Amino acid sequence: MTTKAYALPSDLSPATVTNTTSLLRIIALAFISGAAIASRLFAVINFESIIHEFDPWFNYRATRVLVADGFYEFWNWFDPTAWYPLGRVVGGTVYPGLMATSGVIYKILHALNLPVDIRNICVLLAPGFSSLTAWSTYMFTKELKDESAGLLAAAFIGIVPGYISRSVAGSYDNEAIAIFLLMFTFFNWIKALKTGSAFFGTIAALFYFYMVAAWGGYAFITNMIPLHALALLLMGRYSSRLYVAYSSWYAVGTLASMQVPFVGFQPVRTSEHMAALGVFGLLQIIAFAELVRSHVSSKQFQTLLYASVIGLGFLGTLAIIGLTYKGWIAPWTGRFYSLWDTGYAKKYIPIIASVSEHQPTAWPSFFMDLQFLIFLFPAGVVMCFRELRDEHVFVIIYAIVASYFAGVMVRLMLTLTPVVCVAAAIAFSTVLDTYINPVEPEAPADEAASSEVNSVASDVTNPSTPTPVSKKSKKAVKDSSASSTTGPFGDLVASVTSGKSGKKGERSFGVFGLDTRLVVIFHAIGMLIFFVWHCTWVTSNAYSSPSVVLASSNPDGSQHIIDDFREAYYWLRQNTPETAVVMSWWDYGYQIAGMADRPTLVDNNTWNNTHIATVGKAMSSSEEVAYPILRKHDVDYVLVIFGGLIGYSGDDINKFLWMVRIAQGVWPDEIQEPNYFTRKGEYKIDDEASPTMKNSLMYKMSYYRYAELFGGGQALDRVRGQQVPKTGPTLDYLDEAFTSENWIVRIYEVKKEDLLGRDLKSANAFAQGKKRKRTKPASRRKALL
Amino acid sequence: MFSRWGLLLVLGLASWATAKSSTGDSVLVILEPKLDKDNFSIFFDGLREKGYDLTFRAPKDVEPAVIEYDSPQFSHVILFAPETKSFANDITPQSLVTLLEKKTNLLLVVSSKQTPLTSLAPEFSLVLPPPGTPLLSHFPERDTPATVIPVNVSPNPVVTSKLPPVWFSGIPFSLQNNPLLFPILSAPPESFAADSEGDSGAEAVVQVSEKGGEGLWAGSQMSLVAGFQALGGSRATWVGGVDLFSDEYAQKETKPGVKSGNKEFASAVAAWTFQESLALRIDRVTHHRVNQTEALQAYTTNDEIVFTAHISKFNSETSAWEPFSGIQDMQLEFTMLDPHIRTALPPVPGKAGEYSVTFRAPDRHGVFKFVINHKRKGWTHLESSTMVSLVPPRHDGYPRFLSAAWPYYIGAISTSLGFFIFSALWLAGDDRESKKSKGSKAE
């Protein structure tokens, strides 16, 4: 009989304990879901029920089309207003999973006579799915350790800022549902692998299909699962379970994923998907070899077989390389290269590098997004090494790969977050298990029984797992539970923590007394409380801004809403003809299409670099050069974002160098980045600015009449902290049409050609009554005097 | 205010029946006080006979204003003020351009004196000679001073009928390279601009012409009357001397017994300027698929599309727009950034005013425009742009079965059959057989 640090109730029946724990689990999960949803509602409470940022506006617009016109019309939707005049075949260039999900929810709710507006469904979809994510993370972690770790993981993922940043209410983006699908696919994969079940493999494939339909990041699964399978093969852990799970997942999943129009034949024709195909082939070869080996006894034959297997694998690899070389398989895309070489994008594809979320992650953001989980994360990975069943290998690989990617790109923090939550939950629950377990270590005894117990903790819950130690550990558990006489509740605690209790028994060191336990537990709870505090603070302050509406505070502390974007977009909507083409930098394309409902030249679906470079060229050239470009593209209005007046730093002048770089990539002879710097190499907008800079359309549109605002005083640009020249730029080819309240959005109308066939500059000079210089032919003719 | 507008409207409607111009019949004549109205009675009466409603005012008068409340008050303005040094505020060069913008037609007269119009001329790509250098010609020999010149009218779109020479006295101007500008009356080859009324410049002309004539205000490249078809559709005519319109020149004989062509010429110039002649318009354009009738917002790539334009010409005899099939060189462009298709748009035989073409849409999706851009000297510009989108075939618009895909069909069918047979054998066979087939499965 072991001593107890504290007494446990002993008069409970085992059934009561089981029922109560499962009820508590359900309640805990319900609360976690509630917390996950509630903390994402800051955006709605602080602002309003509005679609956030940029991409969500397109998703929202597409969803409205889907709901209004039906799925087939959506599938065949050609949007003539995007990428004017190229148009966009939306049905074939979109991941429809998100819109389809909202559409289905909308139809169901309306079938139930709940007339919910589609906007509210879109706004609240991400919080809703975050609770599903919490549940699937719980299921996933349960497979790795136990229910208590699962609950912790669910709680972590529910409120961790790294995930909230992409899933607050109104952040209607693909990631909103993709993380749930990611975790659930992984859960099914592990389940299939553990049980060797084709059923779970197929379920994994179906959710993989859903993931493919929902997010371009599906390639992460496409490569994670083969990587895991390959690692298992290399570790010599080939089994028929692996064969069944992988084959069913790959065959069904690949065929299903090819049904998404945007993906099409990519799974068999691009390098990104070749790993999955290669591992599939390898598995077939190995399975065949295993089969033959089990039937043939001759040793020489086996050697031959091995040689042929290796030869076949080699040939297969060669074939893939050859096909790539021949062009049958598309080589890696630039986005992929930029994952390995962070400088690649900046050099070759500035359009990718220009996106802030494609930048490498700064160290503080790891703490900001994950707080204390980032410290527990390595501990959790180490815990996985201690057990190292197949699923733990998966988590280890996932952790390594995702850590790397999260370091390369800010936005991939999102894929790291789930594994951090899982690993941290494992580590944290191990700590809690150790310190809540009331069993006191005792003097060395019973060594024979306990020496075998050194690895597995949770096999009791998964007795079917065929690890070599399972029998022994079961025995150990029996030992430990037999030794406890504290009733079923003690049983439960002991079973959960059996590994540790055994170890303690063995080595005769461990946790003594109640005080040590309480100290650690209070600290642990303190960490949790701070974590919740941090998450809530970060969520409400950093991640809940819609970025369509800005907030600042008045001197008295009250909130002041800056609503320039919507003001300008509604101006466009109400004052311009429906066919008026609006040119802006691509960041604002989706918003203009969504809020102003006007055709745009370029938008956030940056599929055509040349078209974007054309806009970049127009923005960075002088008026005379830009005007033919504008006319050729039927541009009626040009929209620029200018933050100089109120200090909004995300404005177009700050993005201007990217426009220059992108334009330079296509027209290196006409646009050169160094021309936009001062002689000292500084990027300035004041008197020292270079002539090219001052003549560029972007500069002129930003600072047109800005100095007048200061009534003769020195005009100051609050973003750049520089003084704007007193005599501002003049515009001949554009007319100022609209400037919003805080000057954030400025809209210019493109003038029509002069009716007398003059260039607009001299037409303007004439209209202002300036004397025209004598034109050349006149001087050539002379009158007789 | 309203009643006044109403009155104008009623007047406008009432006079429409007799109007000769396609854009309205109210004419403001800004006449210099120096010039006597009666000296131009033939010209003005001719206009009145045609149905125009003439209002006279001096260049320095303020009433009646040309533009009130941003809307032009007259359809046409004749500016016979060749020597006035300054104009009233509403007819500055700038506001004259504004008038053109607002679809008012202008008939402008310049002289060798410097006036506000001298600074306006360069905006129309006209280069006037230095002040005080009228056109001289010593040929043909005649009894008039050298500045009064009979000019042969060479055929041009504005004056089509064969006219006797017209008397001209004034200045020439050279035309710059502007496609909107075209000469109506060219200077005689022997004429030149000089600052003297007499013969004194002749020697110099001879000297210069011996050196090749470079840099001389001389020759038939100079224009005396030039037409300008502004992009908005309005027209302006520049005339080098006001006497062209005078009664004296209209009655003066060029040869004994032959009256000058001035009257007809002035009338033709005014008719062109006031949009009586050579005025075209596109009534409507339609487009549809072959064998269908309704116009679509979006066509599928490779569709056969029929495009039809209906074009009318103004007939000043009947004061009505009549279908016009006389354009032979019209083209249709199907444009996205660049024309993907440029094809002739010929008149349909037997259908007046209808021009039609059938073409196959390019295999390229995007937002396309049917563009008609027909600009000919003297004629109203015909411009039309109709936007349609060209979309890829719908998901069910592709061929259902492809003969090229038979290997895949056979593959799918044979795999299905093989699986079926295998399952049947597996289920039906006994243990030993099943072991064998297990081996074949793995293979």
Side-chain angles (χ1 to χ4, degrees):
Chain A
M1 180 179 167
T2 48
T3 49
K4 296 282 168 204
Y6 53 94
L8 290 170
S10 54
D11 52 347
L12 294 168
S13 76
T16 319
V17 171
T18 335
N19 289 344
T20 317
T21 45
S22 61
L23 179 68
L24 281 176
R25 271 202 294 276
I26 290 169
I27 290 174
L29 271 176
F31 273 119
I32 288 168
S33 294
I37 294 174
S39 67
R40 282 164 171 80
L41 295 183
F42 273 117
V44 174
I45 293 161
N46 287 353
F47 294 93
E48 58 188 289
S49 170
I50 185 184
I51 303 292
H52 288 193
E53 295 198 307
F54 307 105
D55 287 20
W57 275 100
F58 168 76
N59 298 330
Y60 172 53
R61 184 161 159 256
T63 311
R64 276 200 319 216
V65 171
L66 173 72
V67 166
D69 299 342
F71 189 77
Y72 281 107
E73 286 309 309
F74 176 67
W75 189 359
N76 290 305
W77 183 26
F78 177 82
D79 184 3
T81 65
W83 293 89
Y84 182 90
L86 307 174
R88 177 180 175 192
V89 188
V90 179
T93 58
V94 78
Y95 291 106
L98 182 72
M99 298 101 196
T101 308
S102 313
V104 167
I105 294 173
Y106 179 82
K107 295 278 179 212
I108 290 175
L109 289 178
H110 279 244
L112 295 174
N113 292 320
L114 290 168
V116 181
D117 184 29
I118 185 68
R119 176 172 53 90
N120 288 323
I121 293 175
C122 294
V123 166
L124 296 177
L125 190 77
F129 265 84
S130 72
S131 73
L132 287 176
T133 310
W135 172 72
S136 59
T137 311
Y138 164 76
M139 300 294 279
F140 182 84
T141 319
K142 202 177 79 174
E143 294 298 319
L144 288 164
K145 191 167 175 285
D146 53 22
E147 283 90 346
S148 56
L151 282 178
L152 272 174
F156 289 160
I157 192 94
I159 58 168
V160 70
Y163 177 40
I164 283 189
S165 66
R166 296 274 161 177
S167 63
V168 291
S171 175
Y172 180 55
D173 213 344
N174 293 333
E175 289 94 329
I177 63 171
I179 294 303
F180 159 65
L181 297 171
L182 183 83
M183 287 317 284
F184 203 68
T185 312
F186 283 161
F187 161 68
N188 279 303
W189 161 248
I190 280 180
K191 194 87 181 163
L193 186 62
K194 268 175 134 175
T195 55
S197 143
F199 174 71
F200 275 107
T202 311
I203 300 275
L206 289 181
F207 274 89
Y208 171 67
F209 164 64
Y210 193 179
M211 176 80 176
V212 174
W215 193 34
Y218 75 87
F220 185 63
I221 302 184
T222 319
N223 288 299
M224 258 311 292
I225 291 181
L227 196 59
H228 182 213
L230 187 67
L232 291 181
L233 287 179
L234 292 178
M235 290 165 77
R237 292 197 181 185
Y238 170 79
S239 65
S240 58
R241 290 177 290 107
L242 176 63
Y243 180 79
V244 170
Y246 190 83
S247 299
S248 54
W249 169 75
Y250 181 74
V252 178
T254 304
L255 284 176
S257 68
M258 286 165 78
Q259 306 311 310
V260 179
F262 192 25
V263 176
F265 277 91
Q266 278 182 38
V268 290
R269 297 208 55 174
T270 59
S271 298
E272 278 87 346
H273 300 76
M274 278 305 121
L277 181 63
V279 170
F280 181 65
L282 193 65
L283 260 182
Q284 306 307 316
I285 296 169
I286 288 176
F288 177 65
E290 290 284 327
L291 186 86
V292 173
R293 194 168 60 173
S294 65
H295 287 265
V296 179
S297 54
S298 158
K299 219 172 183 187
Q300 282 171 332
F301 187 78
Q302 281 192 14
T303 328
L304 187 73
L305 197 69
Y306 268 119
S308 61
V309 164
I310 290 168
L312 271 177
F314 190 64
L315 278 180
T317 317
L318 272 187
I320 287 179
I321 292 172
L323 285 174
T324 312
Y325 190 70
K326 277 274 173 194
W328 284 91
I329 298 173
W332 307 105
T333 57
R335 270 172 215 258
F336 181 82
Y337 281 126
S338 63
L339 280 182
W340 305 109
D341 176 6
T342 46
Y344 181 88
K346 202 169 180 182
K347 257 181 273 171
Y348 300 105
I349 20 178
I351 200 147
I352 292 180
S354 73
V355 182
S356 62
E357 58 183 29
H358 289 168
Q359 304 296 334
T361 317
W363 285 112
S365 73
F366 279 99
F367 182 77
M368 169 102 164
D369 280 358
L370 302 166
Q371 219 240 359
F372 84 118
L373 301 183
I374 198 69
F375 310 126
L376 287 179
F377 172 49
V381 175
V382 170
M383 298 279 174
C384 289
F385 268 108
R386 275 178 46 187
E387 301 194 27
L388 213 62
R389 290 198 310 273
D390 291 353
E391 57 267 32
H392 295 108
V393 175
F394 182 81
V395 170
I396 291 164
I397 295 172
Y398 185 2
I400 293 168
V401 172
S403 309
Y404 174 76
F405 286 149
V408 173
M409 252 189 215
V410 176
R411 71 185 296 195
L412 293 181
M413 185 68 96
L414 189 66
T415 51
L416 174 68
T417 306
V419 74
V420 168
C421 291
V422 170
I426 291 173
F428 203 82
S429 90
T430 311
V431 170
L432 288 183
D433 287 347
T434 313
Y435 285 91
I436 289 178
N437 183 14
V439 180
E440 290 271 344
E442 50 189 333
D446 200 10
E447 270 178 34
S450 51
S451 63
E452 295 146 348
V453 187
N454 50 15
S455 59
V456 182
S458 58
D459 274 41
V460 184
T461 51
N462 288 305
S464 61
T465 314
T467 31
V469 286
S470 67
K471 263 187 192 166
K472 292 170 188 169
S473 72
K474 235 185 272 175
K475 199 172 147 201
V477 168
K478 255 179 217 155
D479 286 346
S480 63
S481 52
S483 62
S484 81
T485 55
T486 47
F489 196 75
D491 255 10
L492 185 81
V493 172
S495 73
V496 159
T497 62
S498 58
K500 277 99 228 165
S501 66
K503 197 183 291 165
K504 267 169 249 147
E506 169 206 348
R507 301 240 171 101
S508 121
F509 64 82
V511 190
F512 292 91
L514 198 57
D515 48 352
T516 41
R517 286 184 164 80
L518 285 180
V519 165
V520 172
I521 288 169
F522 277 133
H523 270 95
I525 289 172
M527 279 162 83
L528 288 179
I529 288 171
F530 274 117
F531 176 64
V532 172
W533 206 331
H534 172 84
C535 290
T536 314
W537 182 82
V538 169
T539 306
S540 70
N541 282 295
Y543 289 143
S544 290
S545 165
S547 90
V548 174
V549 183
L550 308 170
S552 69
S553 24
N554 290 327
D556 62 355
S558 62
Q559 196 182 37
H560 175 68
I561 296 288
I562 296 168
D563 208 357
D564 280 38
F565 287 100
R566 286 195 293 181
E567 183 192 351
Y569 294 144
Y570 276 83
W571 182 87
L572 274 176
R573 198 186 181 102
Q574 290 169 348
N575 294 282
T576 62
E578 221 169 316
T579 50
V581 179
V582 182
M583 182 178 95
S584 70
W585 190 234
W586 60 262
D587 299 24
Y588 311 102
Y590 278 162
Q591 288 186 349
I592 293 171
M595 285 188 254
D597 194 22
R598 292 292 172 269
T600 54
L601 283 197
V602 291
D603 60 34
N604 310 46
N605 172 306
T606 51
W607 65 275
N608 188 327
N609 186 44
T610 316
H611 216 52
I612 291 181
T614 308
V615 173
K617 185 186 174 190
M619 293 289 196
S620 44
S621 316
S622 63
E623 274 186 278
E624 293 80 16
V625 179
Y627 186 68
I629 301 175
L630 300 182
R631 293 299 295 166
K632 187 178 177 188
H633 291 80
D634 299 332
V635 175
D636 297 302
Y637 292 91
V638 185
L639 181 146
V640 291
I641 307 295
F642 173 66
L645 184 63
I646 61 154
Y648 172 65
S649 62
D651 68 350
D652 277 348
I653 288 284
N654 276 1
K655 292 173 186 169
F656 186 42
L657 281 180
W658 286 112
M659 304 182 200
V660 172
R661 277 175 207 147
I662 290 168
Q664 185 181 7
V666 179
W667 291 280
D669 297 335
E670 295 172 62
I671 309 283
Q672 275 118 21
E673 193 183 340
N675 295 345
Y676 294 84
F677 293 109
T678 60
R679 220 172 281 156
K680 286 183 205 156
E682 293 162 310
Y683 183 62
K684 281 195 149 180
I685 52 97
D686 56 10
D687 282 316
E688 291 172 39
S690 71
T692 320
M693 177 77 188
K694 278 187 170 170
N695 284 325
S696 68
L697 199 63
M698 175 56 72
Y699 180 90
K700 284 187 165 187
M701 286 192 293
S702 290
Y703 294 104
Y704 183 62
R705 297 184 60 208
Y706 183 61
E708 290 174 29
L709 193 65
F710 292 78
Q714 188 59 57
L716 180 73
D717 182 318
R718 295 211 173 91
V719 174
R720 264 98 14 205
Q722 294 169 17
Q723 310 224 312
V724 177
K726 266 190 184 163
T727 47
T730 54
L731 284 169
D732 284 318
Y733 293 82
L734 301 170
D735 265 335
E736 185 180 2
F738 177 80
T739 296
S740 63
E741 188 189 348
N742 299 298
W743 285 54
I744 291 185
V745 186
R746 309 196 69 184
I747 301 172
Y748 292 85
E749 187 175 5
V750 181
K751 283 187 190 168
K752 298 276 174 288
E753 269 95 359
D754 179 57
L755 82 161
L756 300 182
R758 303 165 291 181
D759 64 306
L760 284 169
K761 194 166 192 162
S762 46
N764 253 15
F766 169 74
Q768 287 158 9
K770 283 179 196 153
K771 266 264 163 80
R772 191 190 179 87
K773 279 183 199 156
R774 275 249 150 194
T775 37
K776 267 194 176 164
S779 63
R780 274 181 53 216
R781 293 181 190 281
K782 62 172 193 275
L784 297 164
L785 297 169
Chain B
M1 196 64 227
F2 264 106
S3 63
R4 190 173 160 189
W5 280 110
L7 193 68
L8 274 178
L9 192 71
V10 169
L11 281 176
L13 285 176
S15 53
W16 181 251
T18 55
K20 289 292 173 181
S21 159
S22 60
T23 58
D25 61 343
S26 57
V27 182
L28 176 71
V29 184
I30 300 176
L31 196 64
E32 217 169 53
K34 245 194 239 172
L35 300 171
D36 189 359
K37 201 192 293 181
D38 297 335
N39 272 347
F40 302 92
S41 61
I42 294 180
F43 177 60
F44 289 143
D45 288 346
L47 290 180
R48 280 208 192 88
E49 265 166 40
K50 280 194 199 168
Y52 287 104
D53 178 16
L54 303 189
T55 313
F56 289 89
R57 114 176 212 206
K60 288 184 182 172
D61 288 355
V62 202
E63 281 290 317
V66 182
I67 300 178
E68 258 184 78
Y69 304 109
D70 248 15
S71 81
Q73 301 299 300
F74 299 93
S75 307
H76 319 284
V77 171
I78 298 175
L79 195 57
F80 279 1
E83 299 191 357
T84 312
K85 282 272 191 282
S86 64
F87 292 165
N89 273 338
D90 63 332
I91 49 169
T92 57
Q94 277 77 9
S95 45
L96 288 176
V97 173
T98 314
L99 272 180
L100 270 185
E101 221 168 89
K102 295 182 186 298
K103 315 268 179 200
T104 306
N105 305 304
L106 303 177
L107 180 57
L108 307 163
V109 169
V110 288
S111 72
S112 58
K113 296 268 168 57
Q114 194 129 29
T115 69
L117 292 184
T118 320
S119 67
L120 181 62
E123 305 300 324
F124 289 77
S125 306
L126 290 171
V127 184
L128 304 187
T133 54
L135 188 72
L136 299 180
S137 177
H138 301 285
F139 300 91
E141 197 177 355
R142 58 191 187 277
D143 54 359
T144 57
T147 51
V148 180
I149 307 160
V151 184
N152 288 319
V153 183
S154 52
N156 65 64
V158 175
V159 190
T160 43
S161 53
K162 187 83 185 114
L163 288 184
V166 294
W167 288 106
F168 178 83
S169 140
I171 57 164
F173 26 70
S174 77
L175 309 185
Q176 278 179 300
N177 192 14
N178 188 332
L180 306 174
L181 186 67
F182 66 101
I184 297 176
L185 186 66
S186 298
E190 315 86 3
S191 63
F192 56 92
D195 71 335
S196 126
E197 302 272 311
D199 265 351
S200 63
E203 294 291 311
V205 175
V206 172
Q207 280 172 12
V208 176
S209 65
E210 274 168 3
K211 288 175 196 160
E214 179 67 25
L216 201 63
W217 285 87
S220 57
Q221 287 301 304
M222 301 286 109
S223 271
L224 307 177
V225 179
F228 193 96
Q229 174 80 54
L231 281 181
S234 47
R235 292 169 174 179
T237 306
W238 288 79
V239 182
V242 73
D243 292 335
L244 183 80
F245 299 97
S246 67
D247 292 358
E248 188 201 337
Y249 281 18
Q251 285 157 344
K252 196 178 172 104
E253 293 179 341
T254 48
K255 282 177 203 158
V258 181
K259 260 180 118 187
S260 72
N262 278 43
K263 184 185 172 197
E264 290 77 15
F265 182 79
S267 164
V269 165
W272 180 82
T273 312
F274 299 166
Q275 314 245 8
E276 280 179 45
S277 62
L278 308 187
L280 296 174
R281 74 173 183 203
I282 298 177
D283 290 326
R284 66 200 155 90
V285 294
T286 58
H287 50 89
H288 55 83
R289 268 199 204 126
V290 170
N291 301 329
Q292 292 182 351
T293 49
E294 100 246 53
L296 300 179
Q297 276 293 306
Y299 292 92
T300 310
T301 49
N302 296 325
D303 269 358
E304 293 283 333
I305 302 177
V306 180
F307 181 86
T308 312
H310 298 265
I311 290 172
S312 303
K313 186 185 178 206
F314 187 73
N315 184 343
S316 56
E317 304 289 319
T318 57
S319 307
W321 290 93
E322 290 169 357
F324 179 64
S325 290
I327 308 175
Q328 296 299 330
D329 55 356
M330 193 150 59
Q331 289 185 329
L332 173 73
E333 286 173 2
F334 198 49
T335 303
M336 181 181 74
L337 290 181
D338 299 308
H340 282 58
I341 285 171
R342 182 182 283 145
T343 175
L345 187 60
V348 182
K351 287 185 180 168
E354 206 175 299
Y355 297 76
S356 183
V357 69
T358 305
F359 64 93
R360 202 181 77 150
D363 190 8
R364 173 92 172 80
H365 61 75
V367 182
F368 282 78
K369 288 185 291 187
F370 296 103
V371 175
I372 296 177
N373 189 356
H374 185 261
K375 289 176 178 155
R376 295 294 178 273
K377 300 225 151 147
W379 294 86
T380 314
H381 297 160
L382 289 178
E383 284 174 293
S384 153
S385 162
T386 315
M387 202 181 285
V388 291
S389 18
L390 209 55
V391 303
R394 288 177 65 87
H395 67 280
D396 53 358
Y398 293 94
R400 198 76 192 90
F401 290 101
L402 301 171
S403 57
W406 269 111
Y408 301 99
Y409 299 150
I410 291 170
I413 292 166
S414 62
T415 308
S416 312
L417 277 179
F419 179 71
F420 180 75
I421 294 169
F422 169 77
S423 311
L425 288 177
W426 176 280
L427 293 172
D430 61 6
D431 275 349
R432 196 177 294 164
E433 274 176 359
S434 73
K435 241 179 199 171
K436 259 186 196 167
S437 45
K438 201 177 181 181
S440 65
K441 181 195 176 193
E443 276 173 41

